[in-house]
Each structure stands twice: as structure tokens, then as C-alpha cells.
Amino acid sequence: MSLPPEKASELKQIIHQQLLKMDVHGRIREVLAETIREELAPEHQQLSTEDLIKALRQRGIIDDVMKELKFVTDVNETERTLAPKPSTHFVDREPTVLKKTNIDPTRRYLYLQVLGGKAFLDHLQEPEPLPGQICSTFTLCLHFRNQRFRSKPVPCACEPDFQDGFLLEIHKDSLGDGSKMVDATTMLSISDPVHMVLIKTDTFGETTLVASYFLEWRSVLAAENGITNVAVELLGVGTESKVSVGVLNIRLEMYPQLNKTLSSEIISTQFTLERQKTAEKERLFLVYAKQWWREYLQIRPTHNTRLVKIFAQDENGVNRPVCSYVRPLRAGRLLDTPRQAARFVSVLGHERAAVIGGGGGKQEQWCTLLAFLCRNKGDCEDHANLLCSLLLGFGLEAFVCVGTKAKGVPHTWVMTCGSDGTITFWESLTGHRYIHRPINPDDPPLVEQPKPLYPYRTIGCIFNHQKFFGNCQPSDAVELCVFDLHDESKWKPMSGEAIKSICPPGATSSVPPFPPLCASTIDAAVTSNEIEVQLRILVSEHRKDLGLSTVWDDHLSYLLSPALAAYELERTTGVTAGNEEFQDSVRRAVPDGHTFKGFPIHFVHRNARRAFATCLRSPFCEEIICCRGDQVRLAVRVRVFTYPESACAVWIMFACKYRSVL
């Protein structure tokens, strides 16, 4: 394969730099001198090139050079990006499965190495894990310009042993100049930070968000040798956002090296200008928001009690406009329909932000998308923001709604406006959809009014990435609301220009860019089988404790599969299918005079023991598992349905058949 002249020269330069770095020329001179002494002294014969190469190979120098020039991708640990050209993640220690990947010598890369951590004082008393022992682990997740990476898990410790390298392509998805080698001045204008999220996974598989940090990488542009070392202090999240949780040692290296570096004064001036520009835009928006709020309160004094949320705190305690948490997100080939997107969001775990102390208060924390996806769980606001972004990506007019549900509990959900005026509510925690038909309070009593099926009680405001509306109708009850967003007597709008000034795709912005979704790394068939085997053991042990024997019916277990597939299809599409065939197959498998009982249940985690404990709390399931009678045969079937980000819906069905004795 021939290379263009400019690529060939660039490749030669890279190889030359690598040879200099390894001092290969010096090592070759040593071998040459040694070979001449050993082999030419007796006969003074001519030393050929082949003899020299043989000597270099015997001493392992050629192998060392080739090893250094190879870049490898760990296919097990690296998460794939949605871009057509894969990013590269390579590590110093050779993993078990290696896959070669191509490096484009005409593009700039930032090689980010994590060289251990220190001062993680929460883990000061953490004992050394024994070989083979399951322990809590730290995982570092990175996002930079549409590329995502994940480190290998390392045991939690006061000084965690992170030893990972990530090759970040600086030119990824840039507009134009795709084949041009980007210079230092151009890179200085790329203000995208490297977003780093640290996740802790405990021994039960539960994830916790430890820290979220935006790394400013452009200081490497002033480094003389293209390498700089930084100690990154990670701060906690939520109520601990001012408390240090640990320090990461990070090395940044430009690849290939810059021909001309920038002065540190130029870089610091650029940072100052960017901060000033962002701060001014945020100040102007704050002034506008205060004026808008004063006008809103003058419409009706009771507006002061409505849930109109203009700003929300992220995991680092930074106040951001709510519109910045939403933007159109396309899932590539990972999700095919808006309803499938709703199902995906609903199987991400629901967990409220932790509150230190009692009082039953709710901690305010809207997570950035990367933190939400890496943790695989979040509060209702995180779910609603993600679902709204995905629906916008599918071309729908979607909004996040802020209001309350029963007993005045604050809640967020999603609304779409059809081109025919149909208003649909989407519950992001369950995937359920509800058509909204407003009640007219002025209708005479005999007129039949629609009964709302949705759980929402009041609505204060709605927003997306371009629009914000405050509800200024006489009542904020959802069932009475009319969603005519063009009528300013019902919905007070914010200026679209004001929103655009502080939300992407505006110019300078402190809002982090959205990461792409990643495909699932879970093998559905293998995981289904593993959970099923574990459940069989748990059921047999439980029955043994009760003095009961256990006989499994493999054929009956297999027949439960269509029912589980139908349940998931119904959750995704709202369509029920295949029930007749399932019932017919069960009738054929259960002889006359026998009774069949089945119990399906749904989880969004893969912990068999935890699922079994939950099942036993149901009297119907407990009756099947502890079934007594004549010719009792038990069956269990597990079906795992995978979604992006390694989210999954786990369906389990327990069943039994026995001879009826009356």
C-alpha cells in the first residue's frame, strides 16, 4: 500500500522520534562493536548486514523497537464510540486480547496517562484485597470530543493503582481541514475539556459517583518537549462538592510532537479571555432571568408557589440554566424508535441523590449526562433530560415538564407536542405514555369530562434546549392546562436569543458537550443463562431448608421464553403479541388433572440473590417456589434484554405444575 508523500514523511518523522527516544542508535553501536570483537577477530572476515540484524534480533533490540511502535486496543475494556473511525485506547501492560488499530499520522493526538492516585482518605483503612477476593473498585470514565474511554477497574485504596493510557484524537469530527495536521494555535482555540468521571463499584455491583472533573489539557501546548505532568485534585459531588476525595497523577503528551510550542503567557491569556466571555454571557442571562421572574410574579401573586425552575445545580454544585441539560441526542444504530428510547431510559436505575442527615429533604442534583450514563442510575430529572434529548434527536417537539405528582412531591417528566396538536406525556422512569385531554371547568355538570390516567398533579414550567415557558394559567393543575404554547396569556416564554446565548450551539460556553451513547458490552444469552443457573441453586437450597425435594422440568422452562419476550415487547411498543401460542403450548405441556402456576417479574439489575429475595416477598411467587403436592415439577426462565450503556431489562418467570389432589 503506497502512502502520499506528506504522510510518508510524517510517518518517518514519528519513527525517527521513537528511535531517538529509545536511544536505538546507541544500542546498535554497542552491538556492532561487540559483534566485531567477537566474530571478526579470528578470521577478519567481512561482516554482512544480515549478520548485524541477526545479532540485533538475538539481543531483543528489534523486538523492543517493534513493541514500542505498536499501538494496541484492549477490546474488552475500551468502549466503542459511534464515530466511523475508532478511537484508540492502549495500555502499558499487555492485555490478554489485543487488537491492532490504525493511527493516522496526519492527525494530532493527545496521549493521556493516568499514573496512579493518592490521598483517597476515605479508603485509608481499606485492607489489601486477597487474590481472587471480590473487592470494591474504582473506574475512571473519560469523554473528549465525541470519544469515550473507560479504564480498567482498580481496587479501592488510599493510593489506587491506576495505570492506564488513552489516545485522544484532537481532530475528531471537526468541520473541514480533516486531513490537515492541526497546529498549536488552532488547538488553542479548541476549548473542549476532557471530562473525567470517577465511579466506585461496591462488592454487590452498586455504583456510586465519586467525582466529576473537567481537565484543561491545553497547558501541554506550552511544554517544550510536548509532555507535561499534572496533579488533579478531585472534589466530591453534591453536598461534598467542596471536599477533596483524592488526587490523580496525569501525564499529557502531544503526539506527534509540536514543531513550535506556545508561550505560557499566550495560553493563560486565552484562558482568561474565555472565562471573561463566558462569565459576561452568564451575567447577562442572570440579569434577564431576574427581570423575567419579576414580570412573571406581577401576573398573579400565587405564581410565587409554582415550580418554575430556571437554574439547577449539577453534581459539582454549579448552577446551570435548565435548558443546558437538554439538547438533541442521536443514538446512531443503537435505538430505532422513540418508544425504544423511552424503554432504554426507564431501565436505567432510579436513585435519589444522597442527603447527609435526616429531615426527609431532597438533595438538589441534576447530573451531567456522562456522570448519569457512567453510574447507570440517577434521579427523575436525569431520566427526563435524557429522554427529552433522545426524543428531540428523533425529530419530535419534546419538552421537560417540571411539576408535582400525588401529595405535592416534586417531579419531572417529558411532553411531546404532535403536529396535529396532540399532547403526550412520557414518564421517563417507567416508559409509560399518556394522552392529555384537558378538562374544561366552565362546562355544565352534565358534560362528561375525560378522566386523567397520568399521575401528575401540577405543572409549573416546561423547557427544552431552545425554549422555556412558565405556566401562567389561572390554575396550575395539569388536568386543566391547555398546552397552546403560542398563547402568551397561558404560557410566558423566555427570549430564544437569551437561551441561545448560554446554551450550545452558542459560542463560548461552560456547558459540557454531550457524549455519544455506547453499545452494550453484555452478552444477553450468557448472562441469562448465568442468572438462571444461580436461581435454580437458590430455589433448590430454599426448598431443601423446608424439607422439600426439587425436580426441574427443562421443557416447561423453555416454554416460558415466548411469554418473557412478549412482556418486553409490550413494554417497548405497547403491543401485546404471541399470548395465544404461549397458552396453547402450556396446555399441551401440563397433563389433565394437573395445575399450572406462573409468576413473571421484572428487574433492571443482574443480581440473582437480590432478585430471589424480592421474589420471596411476593405471596404468589413464594407459593410457587415452596409448592407442595404430588408430582411437583418446577421451572424457571430468565431473559435479559440489553440496551445501550450496558443497561438491561431482566425478566424472570417462575412456574410449577403439580397433580391436583382434592
Side-chain angles (χ1 to χ4, degrees), residues 528-539:
S528 301
N529 198 51
E530 286 174 352
I531 298 173
E532 195 171 301
V533 168
Q534 291 173 37
L535 286 175
R536 284 198 176 201
I537 294 168
L538 290 167
V539 170

Side-chain angles (χ1 to χ4, degrees), residues 192-214:
D192 296 335
V194 180
H195 190 182
M196 305 167 66
V197 169
L198 184 63
I199 300 291
K200 178 184 175 182
T201 308
D202 67 16
T203 52
F204 302 103
E206 291 295 311
T207 54
T208 311
L209 178 61
V210 178
S212 174
Y213 185 84
F214 294 94

Side-chain angles (χ1 to χ4, degrees), residues 236-281:
V237 295
T239 52
E240 299 176 38
S241 59
K242 302 289 186 286
V243 181
S244 174
V245 293
V247 176
L248 289 179
N249 296 318
I250 290 175
R251 173 178 289 182
L252 299 171
E253 181 178 356
M254 288 308 303
Y255 174 82
Q257 280 191 5
L258 293 169
N259 296 325
K260 183 182 177 184
T261 58
L262 301 175
S263 70
S264 54
E265 290 80 13
I266 290 176
I267 292 176
S268 60
T269 304
Q270 173 75 9
F271 293 170
T272 305
L273 287 171
E274 287 177 1
R275 279 195 296 270
Q276 288 173 349
K277 195 173 180 182
T278 302
E280 180 61 14
K281 285 186 175 184

Side-chain angles (χ1 to χ4, degrees), residues 555-556 559-560 562-563 578-591 596:
H555 179 60
L556 184 60
L559 296 185
L560 304 178
N579 195 37
E580 300 82 2
E581 293 90 339
F582 168 65
Q583 290 182 354
D584 188 56
S585 66
V586 169
R587 286 194 191 98
R588 290 174 177 277
V590 179
F596 170 83

